[in-house]
Amino acid sequence: MARGRRPTEEVRRDVLAAVGRMLLTEGMNNFTVERVAAESGASKVTIYKLWPSKGALALEGYFTTVEPLLAFPDTGDLERDLRSQLHAFVDLLTATPAGTVLRGLIAEAQGDPVLMDAYRSTYSGPRRQLAVDRIEVARAAGQVRADVDAEAVVDQLWGACYHRLLIPDLPLGSGFADTLLRHVMRGIR
Amino acid sequence: MARGRRPTEEVRRDVLAAVGRMLLTEGMNNFTVERVAAESGASKVTIYKLWPSKGALALEGYFTTVEPLLAFPDTGDLERDLRSQLHAFVDLLTATPAGTVLRGLIAEAQGDPVLMDAYRSTYSGPRRQLAVDRIEVARAAGQVRADVDAEAVVDQLWGACYHRLLIPDLPLGSGFADTLLRHVMRGIR
């Protein structure tokens, strides 16, 4: 079969794309390796050879797919860049099953240190760093006060959104993102 | 037996105190209705008559016990009051098993709508309201800008702490609480 000779990286990419598509349209319900095989054209044997578990496959497919949706712009205007990234993030969490996928992964990770490590090294750590880097560029440009803690700003923007995602006392939406940003920008510039 | 004639409210209070003591010293490990019965002097039958499930018992015992530890002061100085409450909150989460108990409850609630409703009505909702009320008093006293959203401030202080509790990319501590407060106070006053 021609398929069997495809380079591993090409197979990986197709499988991850299929996983991301499935998770962003249907969430974790009915997410099985059988269906990933059918959707991607890879065999179950190949999939099990490339990923240690269904959870690891879901995690990587999800994060690979949302990464371009959560790109961090640098137009030179910090507030504008934070706003467009926060809106994209909130839209992803509220307008697709991504919010439910993340709630499930974060809940599962509380009792599973291996999954928590994977979550942090694959997703939350690198995403936190992108935000911190953008804030540091703004600090170097004199747009942010010298004594601001960029890491804490991440918790006060994205962390505040995760708080409403996980404990939904009040809704998460773009109006909320704008309010968070208004409070933060006044405090850090 | 004299015990059997104790008023129900007294039995409830003793059971909840025993549950809170157990959860704050040992966490959820080995938390059983048998041990609660032994520690409180109430019978298992009585406990099952008063609470629908072990989870409901843990939730109420935990929240009843932490409530006085998380009191919301009003000394007339908003920053000072927020600081002392945030420090008490962070200490509880980091110096006792309370952080682990909360991580477990929040994780469990993601897949259990009944537990989520109980968590919100028993704990997160009322605690959010206490914080909002304190901020509104400060606004009425002219210490907070008119256009500040008190609910979003809650997400930017306590929510930011929950973010580090649930996704521990960086540590939660009193220094972090002070940084959050510095950013927020500059933005809202």
Side-chain angles (χ1 to χ4, degrees), chain A residues 103 110 147 164 182 186, chain B residues 103 110 147 182 186:
Chain A
R103 286 176 65 186
Q110 301 308 312
D147 69 348
R164 291 210 177 176
R182 189 178 77 225
R186 256 189 217 140
Chain B
R103 287 175 64 186
Q110 301 308 312
D147 69 348
R182 189 177 78 226
R186 255 189 217 137

Side-chain angles (χ1 to χ4, degrees), chain A residues 59 62-64 66-67 70 85 89 92-93 98 102 105-106 116-130 158 162, chain B residues 167 169:
Chain A
L59 195 73
Y62 177 74
F63 293 156
T64 305
V66 299
E67 201 163 26
L70 298 178
Q85 207 286 338
F89 171 66
L92 180 70
L93 294 191
L102 278 182
L105 285 171
I106 294 168
M116 181 62 89
D117 283 351
Y119 183 91
R120 289 180 47 200
S121 61
T122 311
Y123 187 63
S124 60
R127 295 224 59 84
R128 176 181 275 280
Q129 193 58 51
L130 286 175
W158 293 272
Y162 278 106
Chain B
I167 306 171
D169 284 322

Side-chain angles (χ1 to χ4, degrees), chain B:
Chain B
M1 296 193 306
R3 277 237 137 120
R5 289 194 298 272
R6 284 195 300 160
T8 301
E9 273 318 301
E10 199 179 307
V11 175
R12 278 184 66 88
R13 199 192 55 211
D14 290 355
V15 170
L16 292 174
V19 169
R21 220 162 41 230
M22 291 165 67
L23 291 178
L24 284 190
T25 51
E26 305 168 31
M28 290 290 273
N29 299 335
N30 310 315
F31 179 77
T32 61
V33 172
E34 282 76 9
R35 291 197 52 230
V36 174
E39 297 270 336
S40 67
S43 73
K44 277 177 61 181
V45 171
T46 301
I47 294 172
Y48 278 120
K49 212 159 63 186
L50 293 174
W51 286 276
S53 69
K54 194 177 88 165
L57 173 61
L59 194 74
E60 190 176 347
Y62 177 75
F63 294 155
T64 305
T65 307
V66 300
E67 199 163 29
L69 303 174
L70 298 177
F72 231 99
D74 183 354
T75 67
D77 177 342
L78 178 66
E79 181 165 359
R80 180 175 165 188
D81 293 347
L82 293 177
R83 186 182 313 279
S84 65
Q85 207 286 339
L86 266 179
H87 280 198
F89 171 66
V90 167
D91 285 352
L92 180 71
L93 295 191
T94 56
T96 76
T100 309
V101 172
L102 278 183
R103 287 175 64 186
L105 285 172
I106 294 169
E108 189 77 14
Q110 301 308 312
D112 180 343
V114 174
L115 183 62
M116 181 61 90
D117 282 349
Y119 183 91
R120 291 180 46 201
S121 61
T122 310
Y123 186 63
S124 60
R127 296 224 58 84
R128 176 181 275 279
Q129 194 57 52
L130 286 174
V132 167
D133 289 347
R134 181 65 191 84
I135 294 166
E136 292 302 347
V137 166
R139 192 203 306 269
Q143 295 165 2
V144 166
R145 300 170 61 114
D147 69 348
V148 161
D149 183 325
E151 297 283 4
V153 170
V154 173
D155 296 291
Q156 294 186 294
L157 292 175
W158 293 271
C161 294
Y162 278 105
H163 186 230
R164 290 209 177 176
L165 177 72
L166 294 163
I167 306 171
D169 284 322
L170 287 171
L172 181 58
S174 54
F176 176 60
D178 289 340
T179 301
L180 294 175
L181 199 56
R182 189 177 78 226
H183 290 177
V184 161
M185 287 307 299
R186 255 189 217 137
I188 71 174
R189 92 173 112 212

Side-chain angles (χ1 to χ4, degrees), chain A:
Chain A
M1 295 192 307
R3 277 239 137 119
R5 290 194 297 271
R6 284 194 300 160
T8 302
E9 273 318 302
E10 198 179 307
V11 176
R12 277 185 65 88
R13 199 193 54 211
D14 289 355
V15 171
L16 292 174
V19 169
R21 219 162 41 229
M22 289 165 68
L23 292 178
L24 284 191
T25 51
E26 304 168 33
M28 291 289 273
N29 299 335
N30 311 314
F31 179 78
T32 63
V33 173
E34 282 76 9
R35 290 196 54 228
V36 174
E39 298 270 336
S40 66
S43 73
K44 277 178 63 180
V45 171
T46 301
I47 294 172
Y48 279 119
K49 211 160 63 185
L50 293 174
W51 286 275
S53 68
K54 195 178 88 166
L57 173 62
L59 195 73
E60 191 176 347
Y62 177 74
F63 293 156
T64 305
T65 307
V66 299
E67 201 163 26
L69 303 175
L70 298 178
F72 231 100
D74 182 355
T75 67
D77 177 342
L78 178 65
E79 181 166 358
R80 179 175 164 187
D81 293 347
L82 293 177
R83 187 183 313 278
S84 66
Q85 207 286 338
L86 267 180
H87 280 199
F89 171 66
V90 167
D91 284 352
L92 180 70
L93 294 191
T94 55
T96 76
T100 308
V101 173
L102 278 182
R103 286 176 65 186
L105 285 171
I106 294 168
E108 189 77 15
Q110 301 308 312
D112 180 343
V114 175
L115 184 62
M116 181 62 89
D117 283 351
Y119 183 91
R120 289 180 47 200
S121 61
T122 311
Y123 187 63
S124 60
R127 295 224 59 84
R128 176 181 275 280
Q129 193 58 51
L130 286 175
V132 167
D133 290 348
R134 181 65 192 84
I135 294 166
E136 292 303 347
V137 166
R139 192 203 307 272
Q143 295 165 0
V144 166
R145 299 171 64 114
D147 69 348
V148 160
D149 182 324
E151 296 284 3
V153 170
V154 173
D155 297 291
Q156 293 185 292
L157 291 176
W158 293 272
C161 293
Y162 278 106
H163 186 231
R164 291 210 177 176
L165 177 72
L166 293 163
I167 307 170
D169 284 322
L170 288 172
L172 180 59
S174 54
F176 177 59
D178 289 339
T179 301
L180 294 175
L181 199 56
R182 189 178 77 225
H183 289 179
V184 161
M185 287 308 299
R186 256 189 217 140
I188 71 174
R189 93 172 111 212

